[in-house]
Amino acid sequence: MNLNHLDQLTQWCSEDGIKTQAADRPFWNRLMAEAHTLHDLFFQIYGHQPNTETTYRAFIRGIAQAYSSRSKALKSRDAQKAIKDAWITDQNLVGMSLYVDRFGGDLKGLVKQLDYLEELGVNALHLLPVMKSPAEASDGGYAVSDYRSVDPRFGSNKDLADLQAELLKRGMYLMTDIVVNHTSDQHPWAIKAKEGDPFYQSFYYTYADRSIPDQMEATMPEVFPESAPGSFTFNSEMNAWVMTVFHHYQWDLNFSNPQVLNAMVEHILYYGNLGVDILRIDAPAFIWKQMGTTCQNLPQAHLLLQLIKSAVRVATPGMAILGEAILAPEQIMDFFGHGLMQGRECDLAYNAAQMALQWDALATGDTRNLWLNQAIISRKPLGTTWLNYTRCHDDIGFGFEDKYIEQAGFTPYLHRAFLKDYWSGQHPDSPAKGMLFGVNPKTNDARISGTLASLCGVEKALELDDTTALERAIARIALMQAQCLLLGGIPMLYYGDELGHINDYSFQDDPSKSYDNRWVHRPIISAEKRKKRADQASVEGRIFALHQKLIALRKAHDIFADTNNVQWWPTDHPSVIGMSRGSIHALFHYGGQSKTVTLSGRSIPQKTLDLWTGKTVNLSNEGQLTFAPYQFYVLQQGSSDRG
Ligand code: GLC
């Protein structure tokens, strides 16, 4: 890039109505700071194509126009967020991921539930997809047919704007999705492609015969092997094969076409202008395809994300970017960027490895695999953060590396087989009621569906009317959620879990859902269910209260803000793992038996306050501490006298 480029940018943006006057100075500063990145990344990806100057001009115009239509209110929120550096790492942020219709009826109904969420302590809402998608083929909203119109099932664009305004008023945050990898086959682009329009056909991967699809499928893993095997679907209207990595009705977009990037960036910035605080980029690992590869996590996918982040930083800087990359731990780290781009790709990533490792530890009663993986997970760049969770609307996959399973003393193949048996409830010792999802007989892979409560044992305990089993199930829930909430980053609860909702099998009778058992953990929340939280003796009341208390504990101590201050440490028994942040030492016992462990190597005083129970804990003279099954402590050094 040369000076010429800066002049050119200035000229282009002025043409788009942005003057160099004081009000727009922050924009110009950001543009100049990002100019090199924008140009360099765009030309790295598309420079070899004809007319790149023209598509680059259109790309910059998209940024300028988005900034021009950004509201004053959002511009001043951008400024506040910039002062409160790394606002995403604040311990006061606690999220919930929810389906608008299943949680609140519709967007208006959701506004009425904001008091409930605040009572719980939640102040960031992840709305699972709300834009238009065909009811019968929607993949839970992840098959978008219109990126800019709210689906009438949930309400109108005005209802979404009203919700956002109400959130802003209450100091709450909005998170939503952009599904970049694919559109619905009912999206206007796909419809025009089917009608034979070559411009829109080039938005997708279409092939006249099976020769390229066959070669590509040889190296592409299947995402939904049971319900949507293969990665291509024949479309009779075009008489061609279309790439459909997910379901047959989700057509993969071809990002090697810069028109696709430009169109998607405009949608992304449009969401920024709706007031979205955190944008969840759906399935970003898939956005670049190349023959002979798995077509996942390719270098160009990262260049595209860095370019998107750079555009967002200029036009809608208050919007953070979350990468939903559910991969092996090392690969997830790639989404924070490397080298010069470290910390300049996604602001947040799903801590999918941590999530799966907690389920691993809970099944085995052994935290060594969880501990060993921290060597990778804790390398996250300062200022970026994790989205931590125990459950979400998707399945649980055990995609962590074999080497640590081995180092922890297990045989990877047998270990994974055990996890599948355990969480699907087939293992004789399992308290869980889960379902195997995505079973692939070719690879023996499978993932797990089921709600937090059903996996932790609530459903079985209630069926058997077994009070001891119920106590244990609730202890497991508390342990899992405590570990997640005290990790730092943004904890994202999954709706229904705060009330201990068990599996909902009604999806089996609905042909638009029965092929996908992830619906087992996507319940409709009734008003009666929610009311039960007032009864402290009910399962709902107890589980709600424990969530409330954990959230309050996190918010009360700024040491839980994510400043990369977590130190993990093993104890002398594998079932117990320690996690220290400054003067707070949290200990988690993943085992189902009582256990006494020695806390060596940490200067924890003999008498220490447990912030969770509010009681003083006495270590033995030898520094030993006893744990009940699934018990955890949150010890605060130097506070026993207050206990
Ligand atoms: C993401 C979503 C998942 C969806 C997939 C395809 O992984 O979380 O629910 O099926 O993308 O869009």
Side-chain angles (χ1 to χ4, degrees):
M1 190 195 50
N2 47 36
L3 260 185
N4 228 345
H5 174 237
L6 294 184
D7 290 345
Q8 211 170 42
L9 282 187
T10 313
Q11 192 195 323
W12 289 347
C13 293
S14 309
E15 280 166 25
D16 286 325
I18 307 174
K19 306 284 170 243
T20 43
Q21 59 208 17
D24 291 328
R25 185 107 358 106
F27 171 83
W28 290 106
N29 291 342
R30 295 194 299 261
L31 182 67
M32 291 304 121
E34 294 298 321
H36 177 74
T37 307
L38 291 168
H39 185 272
D40 190 52
L41 289 172
F42 197 95
F43 279 81
Q44 263 195 70
I45 306 167
Y46 301 115
H48 60 284
Q49 301 198 6
N51 306 323
T52 309
E53 283 297 334
T54 313
T55 45
Y56 181 62
R57 164 77 180 100
F59 172 71
I60 296 294
R61 162 161 281 166
I63 295 176
Q65 289 180 342
Y67 170 77
S68 295
S69 41
R70 191 154 179 79
S71 71
K72 268 207 179 123
L74 288 174
K75 282 180 186 165
S76 77
R77 196 159 152 95
D78 290 340
Q80 286 162 17
K81 282 179 176 162
I83 295 166
K84 202 169 173 305
D85 197 24
W87 58 275
I88 51 171
T89 62
D90 193 328
Q91 84 281 1
N92 284 302
L93 271 171
V94 176
M96 181 183 277
S97 178
L98 52 88
Y99 287 101
V100 169
D101 52 345
R102 307 192 142 239
F103 179 83
D106 57 16
L107 286 161
K108 285 199 176 86
L110 180 56
V111 172
K112 297 196 189 113
Q113 296 303 333
L114 295 181
D115 289 344
Y116 168 83
L117 291 166
E118 285 190 310
E119 177 189 332
L120 179 62
V122 162
N123 58 2
L125 258 59
H126 171 209
L127 310 186
L128 284 152
V130 290
M131 294 300 168
K132 269 193 185 157
S133 73
E136 299 308 311
S138 84
D139 187 20
Y142 285 97
V144 178
S145 54
D146 182 344
Y147 286 93
R148 301 212 181 179
S149 303
V150 168
D151 197 297
R153 275 176 293 193
F154 308 119
S156 63
N157 284 21
K158 158 122 183 14
D159 294 339
L160 182 60
D162 289 348
L163 169 71
Q164 193 274 334
E166 184 59 28
L167 293 175
L168 202 61
K169 210 160 84 193
R170 293 178 185 236
M172 296 172 85
Y173 295 85
L174 176 63
M175 169 170 148
T176 185
D177 283 80
I178 179 106
V179 186
V180 288
N181 180 65
H182 44 261
T183 69
S184 155
D185 61 358
Q186 302 302 316
H187 188 282
W189 298 338
I191 292 175
K192 284 185 192 134
K194 284 188 246 183
E195 287 165 0
D197 184 333
F199 181 78
Y200 287 103
Q201 282 182 346
S202 72
F203 272 42
Y204 300 97
Y205 295 92
T206 57
Y207 302 100
D209 59 45
R210 283 286 316 178
S211 64
I212 291 179
D214 281 344
Q215 288 173 61
M216 291 194 82
E217 275 181 356
T219 53
M220 288 170 82
E222 292 170 306
V223 179
F224 299 132
E226 294 160 302
S227 54
S231 298
F232 292 85
T233 301
F234 184 71
N235 179 263
S236 52
E237 282 135 295
M238 282 191 300
N239 198 23
W241 291 87
V242 187
M243 188 187 285
T244 54
V245 168
F246 291 86
H247 292 104
H248 64 86
Y249 51 79
Q250 289 166 306
W251 287 19
D252 284 63
L253 285 166
N254 183 349
F255 276 88
S256 71
N257 176 354
Q259 306 288 354
V260 170
L261 173 82
N262 285 357
M264 205 45 87
V265 167
E266 284 176 25
H267 289 320
I268 287 173
L269 301 180
Y270 172 82
Y271 288 7
N273 283 343
L274 291 180
V276 171
D277 295 290
I278 302 172
L279 186 68
R280 176 189 186 275
I281 302 212
D282 185 62
F286 293 84
I287 60 178
W288 196 268
K289 317 291 198 293
Q290 196 175 307
M291 172 76 81
T293 72
T294 58
C295 296
Q296 287 185 37
N297 203 24
L298 295 176
Q300 291 87 341
H302 293 283
L303 298 180
L304 284 167
L305 286 171
Q306 289 159 12
L307 186 56
I308 288 171
K309 174 65 202 173
S310 186
V312 166
R313 221 183 267 120
V314 176
T316 64
M319 181 168 74
I321 297 294
L322 161 68
E324 186 253 348
I326 312 300
L327 301 164
E330 283 284 5
Q331 294 180 318
I332 297 178
M333 300 306 290
D334 294 342
F335 287 78
F336 292 121
H338 292 297
L340 285 176
M341 295 311 282
Q342 193 184 49
R344 291 174 57 81
E345 192 170 316
C346 293
D347 303 293
L348 297 122
Y350 269 73
N351 206 347
Q354 171 73 28
M355 178 280 297
L357 289 159
Q358 284 187 214
W359 288 106
D360 176 88
L362 195 61
T364 55
D366 188 319
T367 62
R368 281 176 296 181
N369 195 15
L370 171 62
W371 149 248
L372 288 162
N373 274 278
Q374 298 308 323
I376 304 172
I377 298 174
S378 45
R379 287 203 318 255
K380 162 186 78 56
L382 194 68
T384 61
T385 199
W386 291 115
L387 182 132
N388 289 306
Y389 65 117
T390 53
R391 289 299 293 113
C392 71
H393 70 287
D394 283 331
D395 46 286
I396 304 171
F398 302 104
F400 32 72
E401 273 118 23
D402 283 354
K403 72 172 178 198
Y404 290 129
I405 302 181
E406 268 166 17
Q407 279 180 38
F410 302 105
T411 307
Y413 179 79
L414 296 176
H415 187 65
R416 289 182 203 283
F418 164 75
L419 292 175
K420 282 185 286 177
D421 279 357
Y422 192 89
W423 292 120
S424 61
Q426 288 163 31
H427 191 281
D429 297 339
S430 171
K433 279 212 139 186
M435 298 179 97
L436 290 176
F437 175 74
V439 178
N440 188 338
K442 288 178 236 159
T443 57
N444 262 320
D445 271 345
R447 287 112 70 185
I448 300 291
S449 289
T451 69
L452 176 71
S454 287
L455 294 177
C456 284
V458 172
E459 187 177 339
K460 241 185 208 171
L462 292 176
E463 265 173 22
L464 301 172
D465 199 14
D466 180 338
T467 45
T468 315
L470 184 62
E471 289 311 308
R472 291 211 162 191
I474 295 177
R476 283 188 202 98
I477 291 176
L479 173 84
M480 291 292 277
Q481 299 295 63
Q483 176 92 74
C484 172
L485 274 147
L486 304 182
L487 264 172
I490 303 184
M492 188 56 71
L493 306 180
Y494 180 60
Y495 84 104
D497 287 348
E498 83 285 9
L499 295 165
H501 219 296
I502 58 171
N503 287 346
D504 173 0
Y505 299 96
S506 62
F507 77 97
Q508 287 165 334
D509 306 321
D510 177 345
S512 72
K513 300 190 170 69
S514 55
Y515 62 89
D516 184 343
N517 71 27
R518 290 176 298 173
W519 286 99
V520 82
H521 54 249
R522 299 171 177 176
I524 295 175
I525 308 294
S526 68
E528 292 71 48
K529 183 87 181 160
R530 217 169 257 146
K531 267 195 208 133
K532 287 195 185 152
R533 74 187 184 283
D535 174 3
Q536 293 301 312
S538 67
V539 172
E540 290 81 359
R542 291 179 63 192
I543 295 179
F544 188 85
L546 78 83
H547 280 90
Q548 237 179 353
K549 192 171 158 194
L550 279 169
I551 293 171
L553 172 59
R554 170 184 152 100
K555 289 188 180 179
H557 299 273
D558 58 11
I559 194 88
F560 291 122
D562 187 8
T563 51
N564 282 4
N565 57 352
V566 180
Q567 288 181 333
W568 290 84
W569 45 284
T571 63
D572 65 348
H573 194 274
S575 69
V576 179
I577 192 158
M579 194 181 81
S580 296
R581 323 176 72 114
S583 59
I584 292 184
H585 307 286
L587 288 129
F588 302 91
H589 173 41
Y590 278 85
Q593 312 290 328
S594 294
K595 192 98 263 155
T596 300
V597 302
T598 310
L599 308 181
S600 50
R602 298 275 136 183
S603 47
I604 302 178
Q606 236 178 326
K607 277 187 189 304
T608 314
L609 177 67
D610 177 12
L611 295 173
W612 174 236
T613 58
K615 293 188 187 139
T616 298
V617 166
N618 294 305
L619 268 62
S620 73
N621 288 340
E622 293 75 37
Q624 289 184 321
L625 184 60
T626 299
F627 291 77
Y630 309 112
Q631 189 178 359
F632 65 94
Y633 294 94
V634 186
L635 303 180
Q636 188 178 37
Q637 206 169 317
S639 57
S640 67
D641 45 345
R642 275 180 272 139

